[in-house]
Amino acid sequence: MKNLIVSSSPHQNSDVSTQKIMMTVIIALIPAIVASGIFFGLRAIALVAVCCSSAVLFEYLCRKLMKRPQTISDLSAAVTGIILALNLPVTLPFWIAILGSFIAIAIVKQLFGGLGQNFANPAIVARIVLMVSFTSQMTTWAIPGYWKAGAFSETTAIVNSQTVFTGATPLVSQNASLSDLFFGNTGGCLGETSALALIIGGVFLMVTRVISPAAPLSFIGSLALFTFISGGDVPYQLLSGGLMLGAFFMATDYVTTPITTKGRIIFGIGCGLITFIIRNFGSYPEGVSFSILLMNILTPYIDMITKTKPLGAKKPVKEETKNA
């Protein structure tokens, strides 16, 4: 009779790798990148390229300085750079975008040990730091088609010696049509315009099972519920701002979100509640990034209260019971 050998987990291997997952995420982000180019021109594509390339470069340099194995091939730094770019306005100077990549990769990610060790989503932290540090530049929103001379009469800003027509985001102005919000013909960050492009990418990630629908659907659903209870405009709140980008691409990060389905639902509801509170009672018109960051901090505690019971596990026998 052959001996039975018990080894440590994992007992089943898979061909799914970090690189394949990140490549799938990049593919899912392509519709949003293309939409940003259509509405904001070539500078939007250039901003994505700058953030992506600088994020990869900073990851390479950090791993080199720390004398650790290179990890740029897993594409996680590239994904962070792209998501950061989609959280920025097209008018942002490139040097500030590069600073954002440094914050995301060098400080939030590599300083804590690299992929899998960071306490929060790097792109979100970078965006919040830039928002607090460069408020004026981070809130200068170009209107789609700004490069068409004389097309608009709003206030102007100067970017790279070019006149840029700017205006308030839909969350502030409250005057955009639902069709403009859905297709993306509004001002805002690169990834906050076309809800359609982000939904396509989000559905693709769910169909390919790269992400679980628990967090994004509970995030979107809870915000819709709280808005409905308060008498607000539900479709407008769902289609404007960074909700779709945050729900599908940032609230589903493997490292900084709960492990269990129950935990992800709690995480999503928490994000929806905090976003609702900030949007309606806070000084910022948008609260998606802040809500995800706060829930990232709570993730270890959510994992603790929602952890599953191992199959066949029994409660430890109390000492007095054993002595009896």
Side-chain angles (χ1 to χ4, degrees):
M1 182 177 177
K2 294 183 178 180
N3 294 328
L4 296 177
I5 300 175
V6 179
S7 61
S8 60
S9 61
H11 303 292
Q12 185 176 359
N13 294 323
S14 172
D15 61 349
V16 177
S17 63
T18 301
Q19 185 184 65
K20 289 183 179 180
I21 291 173
M22 295 301 167
M23 178 56 71
T24 306
V25 175
I26 291 175
I27 293 172
L29 287 167
I30 289 177
I33 297 172
V34 172
S36 70
I38 292 173
F39 293 113
F40 298 119
L42 292 177
R43 195 177 195 280
I45 305 300
L47 186 61
V48 173
V50 166
C51 287
C52 182
S53 58
S54 59
V56 173
L57 176 61
F58 285 132
E59 174 131 330
Y60 173 81
L61 293 176
C62 286
R63 303 301 290 188
K64 194 79 172 177
L65 289 172
M66 294 186 294
K67 297 181 179 180
R68 295 180 179 177
Q70 283 298 333
T71 54
I72 58 173
S73 61
D74 66 15
L75 301 179
S76 61
V79 169
T80 296
I82 294 173
I83 293 178
L84 172 62
L86 294 177
N87 276 281
L88 304 176
V90 69
T91 56
L92 192 74
F94 288 148
W95 71 269
I96 297 181
I98 294 173
L99 177 61
S101 294
F102 174 79
I103 294 169
I105 299 299
I107 298 178
V108 183
K109 185 180 178 183
Q110 293 300 331
L111 193 62
F112 284 87
L115 183 65
Q117 305 299 320
N118 46 289
F119 74 98
N121 187 296
I124 288 178
V125 176
R127 192 230 174 150
I128 291 175
V129 171
L130 294 183
M131 177 69 76
V132 174
S133 304
F134 306 97
T135 305
S136 177
Q137 294 92 330
M138 285 290 290
T139 55
T140 300
W141 314 112
I143 291 179
Y146 66 86
W147 62 87
K148 300 175 183 177
F152 304 99
S153 59
E154 285 80 4
T155 56
T156 60
I158 303 298
V159 177
N160 292 348
S161 301
Q162 294 181 349
T163 300
V164 176
F165 294 88
T166 62
T169 62
L171 276 174
V172 175
S173 64
Q174 298 287 315
N175 61 1
S177 67
L178 292 181
S179 62
D180 283 343
L181 291 173
F182 184 71
F183 291 107
N185 191 29
T186 60
C189 293
L190 302 186
E192 291 182 356
T193 53
S194 177
L196 174 61
L198 295 166
I199 291 172
I200 290 173
V203 171
F204 174 73
L205 290 179
M206 289 189 289
V207 170
T208 55
R209 297 186 177 183
V210 169
I211 66 172
S212 164
L217 295 187
S218 59
F219 189 172
I220 296 170
S222 59
L223 179 60
L225 177 61
F226 296 133
T227 303
F228 175 77
I229 294 174
S230 68
D233 188 339
V234 175
Y236 199 95
Q237 288 294 316
L238 297 187
L239 295 177
S240 57
L243 177 62
M244 296 300 170
L245 177 63
F248 289 118
F249 295 97
M250 295 189 285
T252 55
D253 179 40
Y254 285 9
V255 178
T256 58
T257 53
I259 299 172
T260 65
T261 299
K262 186 188 298 184
R264 289 167 183 161
I265 293 173
I266 295 173
F267 182 92
I269 293 173
C271 288
L273 176 60
I274 298 172
T275 299
F276 170 78
I277 292 173
I278 294 175
R279 283 187 176 185
N280 289 273
F281 306 105
S283 58
Y284 285 97
E286 178 60 288
V288 171
S289 295
F290 291 100
S291 68
I292 297 175
L293 175 59
L294 290 173
M295 293 308 295
N296 282 164
I297 297 172
L298 293 177
T299 290
Y301 303 100
I302 296 175
D303 281 334
M304 188 184 305
I305 64 175
T306 60
K307 62 182 178 181
T308 57
K309 180 181 177 181
L311 182 63
K314 297 180 180 179
K315 291 184 178 180
V317 180
K318 293 183 179 180
E319 190 67 30
E320 57 269 19
T321 304
K322 286 197 293 184
N323 294 333

